[in-house]
Amino acid sequence: MKRSLSGIQPSGVLHIGNYFGALKQFVDLQDNYNGLYFIADYHSLTSQINPDVLRKHSLNVVLDYLAAGIDPKKSKIFLQSSVPAHTELMWILSNQTPMALLERGHAYKDKVAKGIKPNVGLFNYPVLMASDILIYDADVVPVGKDQKQHIELTRDFAVRFNEFYQKEVFKLPEALILETVATVVGTDGEKMSKSYGNIINMYLPEKELKKQVMSIVTDSTPLEEPKNPDNNVTKLYSLFATPAEVEIMKEKFIAGNYGYGHAKKELFERILDYFSKQRELRMKLENNMDYVYDILKDGAKIAREITSEKMKVVRDTVGLIGGEL
Ligand code: ADP
Ligand code: TRP
């Protein structure tokens, strides 16, 4: 079976953008791929996160993975920091990486443009991500559209390395991006993102979830007047409704006498309905953390086995003789 691999940073609670862009794909792929899904906690250090917050968020992402339906019998779940070989490979790959290539990275450029003073970790972020992927010989990497450039860089690094050492050490991975949900909009109409404060978090208590849905930005057209049918509420509604149902909502907007408040309520009901089983499961898991830690230990063991074999090949290829002593 082919291998699917992906990770999510524990930088905050996961949201429906993460769910439809990434997490749902992990679940949908699990019968046909060997899945490896990790929590990218090394990556979160690039934003200099508080240690207690990092611990809490890391476990939250594990709970989110399991609640979303990743089956630990089919796919492995582990913390990136359980497998230090990721960082060893990062060091090796970084010596094959021209500075100029990373200077063009848009995640890095965006952060600099926002006035964030970059640390070396942030600059190197794509090299760590490439190491995460290449060390497992992943065939596919299910992600949202914003990660496309990172996967392209990963392929580029693999080609450079293989060419430099004249050996097919690394496999070229394919990004799996679902065009229909490539970029889920947030409550403000921009890309939904933990760092923009515009998220809808499917696993929050009902009251808070409702507040998020009600905060979706709309215009101030009076209730009786026709409204733009392609507004933020219909965009989000289309994730949960059939195309015919979305059409009905759009027609109601065009007809007038249908307010954004009505539509938000319909959306809220859909979200609750869609995630109700997952929300229940997540609550059960929260009270059974021993089981959750067992899953992480099992995942870590498998991940270390795979990576230690791969690192033997890598070290041998580049001429590092210390690893086997
Ligand atoms: P965030 O932007 O909230 O920090 P991450 O960068 O941690 O999210 O993304 C984790 C995964 O979720 C990635 O595969 C990413 O492409 C996907 N993702 C994040 N936001 C969205 C979105 N708004 N729409 C679709 N996919 C998304
Ligand atoms: N950069 C990804 C994000 O922010 C997280 C990530 C780290 C990742 N390593 C990865 C995703 C390897 C896929 C494969 O979403």
Short mmCIF file of all heavy atoms in Angstrom, two decimals, residues 128-156:
data_model
loop_
_atom_site.label_atom_id
_atom_site.label_comp_id
_atom_site.label_asym_id
_atom_site.label_seq_id
_atom_site.Cartn_x
_atom_site.Cartn_y
_atom_site.Cartn_z
N LEU A 128 12.67 21.60 7.47
CA LEU A 128 12.16 20.63 8.46
C LEU A 128 10.95 19.90 7.90
O LEU A 128 10.82 18.69 8.02
CB LEU A 128 11.81 21.35 9.78
CG LEU A 128 11.25 20.45 10.89
CD1 LEU A 128 12.20 19.32 11.25
CD2 LEU A 128 10.93 21.28 12.15
N MET A 129 10.08 20.64 7.24
CA MET A 129 8.89 20.01 6.67
C MET A 129 9.27 18.98 5.60
O MET A 129 8.70 17.89 5.53
CB MET A 129 7.95 21.08 6.11
CG MET A 129 6.73 20.51 5.48
SD MET A 129 5.37 21.69 5.48
CE MET A 129 4.34 20.92 4.24
N ALA A 130 10.24 19.32 4.79
CA ALA A 130 10.70 18.37 3.76
C ALA A 130 11.27 17.13 4.43
O ALA A 130 11.03 16.00 3.98
CB ALA A 130 11.76 19.03 2.88
N SER A 131 11.99 17.32 5.52
CA SER A 131 12.57 16.18 6.23
C SER A 131 11.47 15.29 6.78
O SER A 131 11.55 14.05 6.70
CB SER A 131 13.46 16.65 7.38
OG SER A 131 14.43 17.53 6.89
N ASP A 132 10.41 15.92 7.32
CA ASP A 132 9.26 15.15 7.84
C ASP A 132 8.73 14.19 6.78
O ASP A 132 8.28 13.09 7.09
CB ASP A 132 8.08 16.08 8.18
CG ASP A 132 8.37 17.09 9.26
OD1 ASP A 132 9.27 16.86 10.07
OD2 ASP A 132 7.68 18.14 9.28
N ILE A 133 8.72 14.67 5.56
CA ILE A 133 8.08 13.92 4.48
C ILE A 133 9.04 12.90 3.87
O ILE A 133 8.73 11.72 3.71
CB ILE A 133 7.59 14.90 3.38
CG1 ILE A 133 6.55 15.87 3.97
CG2 ILE A 133 7.04 14.14 2.17
CD1 ILE A 133 6.21 17.05 3.07
N LEU A 134 10.26 13.37 3.58
CA LEU A 134 11.21 12.51 2.84
C LEU A 134 11.71 11.35 3.69
O LEU A 134 12.02 10.28 3.17
CB LEU A 134 12.38 13.36 2.34
CG LEU A 134 12.00 14.47 1.35
CD1 LEU A 134 13.23 15.28 0.97
CD2 LEU A 134 11.33 13.89 0.10
N ILE A 135 11.78 11.55 4.99
CA ILE A 135 12.33 10.51 5.86
C ILE A 135 11.42 9.27 5.89
O ILE A 135 11.85 8.18 6.27
CB ILE A 135 12.58 11.08 7.28
CG1 ILE A 135 13.61 10.23 8.02
CG2 ILE A 135 11.31 11.22 8.08
CD1 ILE A 135 14.12 10.86 9.31
N TYR A 136 10.16 9.44 5.49
CA TYR A 136 9.22 8.31 5.47
C TYR A 136 8.94 7.79 4.06
O TYR A 136 8.06 6.95 3.88
CB TYR A 136 7.89 8.71 6.12
CG TYR A 136 8.03 9.02 7.60
CD1 TYR A 136 8.17 10.32 8.05
CD2 TYR A 136 8.06 8.00 8.53
CE1 TYR A 136 8.32 10.61 9.40
CE2 TYR A 136 8.21 8.26 9.89
CZ TYR A 136 8.35 9.57 10.30
OH TYR A 136 8.51 9.84 11.64
N ASP A 137 9.62 8.32 3.06
CA ASP A 137 9.31 7.94 1.67
C ASP A 137 7.81 8.07 1.39
O ASP A 137 7.20 7.16 0.79
CB ASP A 137 9.76 6.50 1.37
CG ASP A 137 11.27 6.37 1.36
OD1 ASP A 137 11.93 7.25 0.78
OD2 ASP A 137 11.79 5.40 1.94
N ALA A 138 7.22 9.16 1.84
CA ALA A 138 5.77 9.34 1.65
C ALA A 138 5.43 9.44 0.17
O ALA A 138 6.15 10.08 -0.60
CB ALA A 138 5.32 10.60 2.37
N ASP A 139 4.34 8.79 -0.23
CA ASP A 139 3.87 8.90 -1.62
C ASP A 139 2.99 10.13 -1.78
O ASP A 139 3.09 10.83 -2.78
CB ASP A 139 3.08 7.65 -2.01
CG ASP A 139 3.94 6.41 -2.00
OD1 ASP A 139 4.76 6.28 -2.92
OD2 ASP A 139 3.82 5.60 -1.06
N VAL A 140 2.08 10.32 -0.82
CA VAL A 140 1.17 11.46 -0.93
C VAL A 140 1.14 12.24 0.38
O VAL A 140 1.34 11.68 1.46
CB VAL A 140 -0.28 11.03 -1.31
CG1 VAL A 140 -0.31 10.37 -2.66
CG2 VAL A 140 -0.88 10.14 -0.24
N VAL A 141 0.87 13.55 0.23
CA VAL A 141 0.80 14.43 1.41
C VAL A 141 -0.50 15.23 1.32
O VAL A 141 -0.60 16.19 0.56
CB VAL A 141 2.01 15.39 1.45
CG1 VAL A 141 2.00 16.22 2.74
CG2 VAL A 141 3.33 14.63 1.33
N PRO A 142 -1.53 14.79 2.05
CA PRO A 142 -2.80 15.53 2.02
C PRO A 142 -2.72 16.82 2.83
O PRO A 142 -2.42 16.79 4.03
CB PRO A 142 -3.80 14.55 2.67
CG PRO A 142 -2.98 13.61 3.48
CD PRO A 142 -1.61 13.57 2.88
N VAL A 143 -2.96 17.94 2.17
CA VAL A 143 -2.86 19.26 2.82
C VAL A 143 -3.84 20.24 2.18
O VAL A 143 -4.42 19.96 1.14
CB VAL A 143 -1.44 19.87 2.66
CG1 VAL A 143 -0.44 19.28 3.64
CG2 VAL A 143 -0.93 19.75 1.23
N GLY A 144 -3.98 21.41 2.80
CA GLY A 144 -4.72 22.51 2.19
C GLY A 144 -3.82 23.24 1.20
O GLY A 144 -2.60 23.01 1.17
N LYS A 145 -4.44 24.13 0.44
CA LYS A 145 -3.72 24.77 -0.67
C LYS A 145 -2.51 25.59 -0.21
O LYS A 145 -1.51 25.69 -0.92
CB LYS A 145 -4.70 25.68 -1.40
CG LYS A 145 -4.26 26.08 -2.78
CD LYS A 145 -5.39 26.81 -3.45
CE LYS A 145 -5.02 27.21 -4.84
NZ LYS A 145 -6.15 27.91 -5.46
N ASP A 146 -2.60 26.17 0.99
CA ASP A 146 -1.51 27.03 1.46
C ASP A 146 -0.19 26.28 1.63
O ASP A 146 0.87 26.89 1.74
CB ASP A 146 -1.89 27.72 2.79
CG ASP A 146 -2.25 26.73 3.89
OD1 ASP A 146 -2.60 25.58 3.56
OD2 ASP A 146 -2.17 27.10 5.06
N GLN A 147 -0.25 24.95 1.63
CA GLN A 147 0.97 24.15 1.81
C GLN A 147 1.58 23.69 0.50
O GLN A 147 2.59 22.98 0.48
CB GLN A 147 0.67 22.92 2.69
CG GLN A 147 0.23 23.29 4.10
CD GLN A 147 1.31 24.08 4.83
OE1 GLN A 147 2.49 23.75 4.78
NE2 GLN A 147 0.91 25.16 5.48
N LYS A 148 0.95 24.09 -0.60
CA LYS A 148 1.40 23.60 -1.91
C LYS A 148 2.87 23.93 -2.16
O LYS A 148 3.65 23.07 -2.59
CB LYS A 148 0.52 24.27 -2.98
CG LYS A 148 0.65 23.63 -4.31
CD LYS A 148 -0.40 24.14 -5.26
CE LYS A 148 -0.13 23.51 -6.59
NZ LYS A 148 -0.64 24.22 -7.70
N GLN A 149 3.25 25.17 -1.87
CA GLN A 149 4.63 25.57 -2.14
C GLN A 149 5.63 24.74 -1.32
O GLN A 149 6.70 24.39 -1.80
CB GLN A 149 4.83 27.06 -1.84
CG GLN A 149 6.16 27.56 -2.36
CD GLN A 149 6.54 28.94 -1.82
OE1 GLN A 149 6.27 29.24 -0.66
NE2 GLN A 149 7.14 29.75 -2.65
N HIS A 150 5.22 24.41 -0.09
CA HIS A 150 6.11 23.60 0.76
C HIS A 150 6.35 22.21 0.16
O HIS A 150 7.44 21.66 0.27
CB HIS A 150 5.52 23.46 2.17
CG HIS A 150 5.68 24.69 3.00
ND1 HIS A 150 4.76 25.06 3.95
CD2 HIS A 150 6.64 25.63 3.02
CE1 HIS A 150 5.17 26.19 4.53
NE2 HIS A 150 6.30 26.55 3.98
N ILE A 151 5.32 21.67 -0.46
CA ILE A 151 5.50 20.33 -1.05
C ILE A 151 6.36 20.44 -2.32
O ILE A 151 7.19 19.58 -2.60
CB ILE A 151 4.13 19.66 -1.39
CG1 ILE A 151 3.13 19.79 -0.24
CG2 ILE A 151 4.33 18.19 -1.78
CD1 ILE A 151 3.43 19.04 1.01
N GLU A 152 6.17 21.54 -3.04
CA GLU A 152 7.02 21.74 -4.22
C GLU A 152 8.48 21.88 -3.81
O GLU A 152 9.38 21.32 -4.45
CB GLU A 152 6.56 22.98 -5.00
CG GLU A 152 5.36 22.68 -5.88
CD GLU A 152 4.58 23.92 -6.30
OE1 GLU A 152 5.03 25.05 -6.05
OE2 GLU A 152 3.49 23.73 -6.89
N LEU A 153 8.72 22.62 -2.73
CA LEU A 153 10.10 22.75 -2.23
C LEU A 153 10.65 21.39 -1.81
O LEU A 153 11.81 21.07 -2.08
CB LEU A 153 10.15 23.71 -1.03
CG LEU A 153 10.10 25.21 -1.35
CD1 LEU A 153 9.96 26.02 -0.07
CD2 LEU A 153 11.35 25.66 -2.11
N THR A 154 9.79 20.59 -1.19
CA THR A 154 10.22 19.26 -0.75
C THR A 154 10.70 18.43 -1.94
O THR A 154 11.76 17.78 -1.89
CB THR A 154 9.03 18.52 -0.06
OG1 THR A 154 8.61 19.30 1.05
CG2 THR A 154 9.43 17.13 0.40
N ARG A 155 9.94 18.49 -3.02
CA ARG A 155 10.34 17.75 -4.23
C ARG A 155 11.67 18.28 -4.77
O ARG A 155 12.55 17.52 -5.18
CB ARG A 155 9.26 17.87 -5.31
CG ARG A 155 7.96 17.15 -4.92
CD ARG A 155 6.84 17.52 -5.89
NE ARG A 155 7.13 17.09 -7.25
CZ ARG A 155 6.74 15.94 -7.78
NH1 ARG A 155 6.02 15.11 -7.07
NH2 ARG A 155 7.06 15.63 -9.01
N ASP A 156 11.79 19.59 -4.74
CA ASP A 156 13.02 20.24 -5.21
C ASP A 156 14.23 19.77 -4.38
O ASP A 156 15.28 19.39 -4.92
CB ASP A 156 12.81 21.75 -5.10
CG ASP A 156 13.92 22.55 -5.72
OD1 ASP A 156 15.08 22.11 -5.60
OD2 ASP A 156 13.67 23.61 -6.32
#
